[in-house]
Amino acid sequence: MVEKGSMKFYKGLYVGKGIRNPNKVKWKLRCHAGQFTVYVITLAEGSDQLEILHSAFLQQKYYRKHPPYIIGIAGGYEEAVALVVEIVEEALQKLGSPDLKKYLLSRLG
């Protein structure tokens, strides 16, 4: 789903209310610029569904070589958790199941 070395953002990116300028935040994430209050919601590797990471993690060498697929951006940890809850509620309503990866992929097509 993600090409090696290129940061990808979900087409229907979830954006928290604390993010005033999503395009600027995305640009800074791509450039690996520090953003103290920004958290990202990513598709987890393996059987886990989603992960919440502080944007500083994306500056690590591993994430530069293996960038995550970003589903949402939030202006704080609590806001990121609220976005994940929103995604879960939407998945339960649409699919009747908390299979978040399946739900998110179904939104694209």
Side-chain angles (χ1 to χ4, degrees), residues 4-6 31-32 58-67:
K4 187 175 180 179
S6 63
C31 293
H32 305 285
L58 302 181
Q59 295 178 343
Q60 295 176 9
K61 192 179 281 188
Y62 173 82
Y63 289 109
R64 288 177 185 242
K65 291 182 180 176
H66 308 282

Side-chain angles (χ1 to χ4, degrees), residues 20-92:
R20 290 189 209 117
N21 188 339
N23 289 328
K24 184 175 183 179
V25 170
K26 286 166 54 176
W27 179 81
K28 284 186 172 187
L29 289 170
R30 282 188 183 108
C31 293
H32 305 285
Q35 300 179 82
F36 292 114
T37 62
V38 174
Y39 283 77
V40 296
I41 301 163
T42 68
L43 280 184
E45 297 292 324
S47 63
D48 288 340
Q49 299 281 329
L50 301 176
E51 291 182 312
I52 297 173
L53 302 172
H54 189 277
S55 61
F57 279 97
L58 302 181
Q59 295 178 343
Q60 295 176 9
K61 192 179 281 188
Y62 173 82
Y63 289 109
R64 288 177 185 242
K65 291 182 180 176
H66 308 282
Y69 187 62
I70 298 175
I71 299 299
I73 52 178
Y77 183 78
E78 292 79 16
E79 188 171 86
V81 170
L83 284 176
V84 171
V85 168
E86 179 183 329
I87 295 168
V88 170
E89 288 173 347
E90 288 176 8
L92 287 170

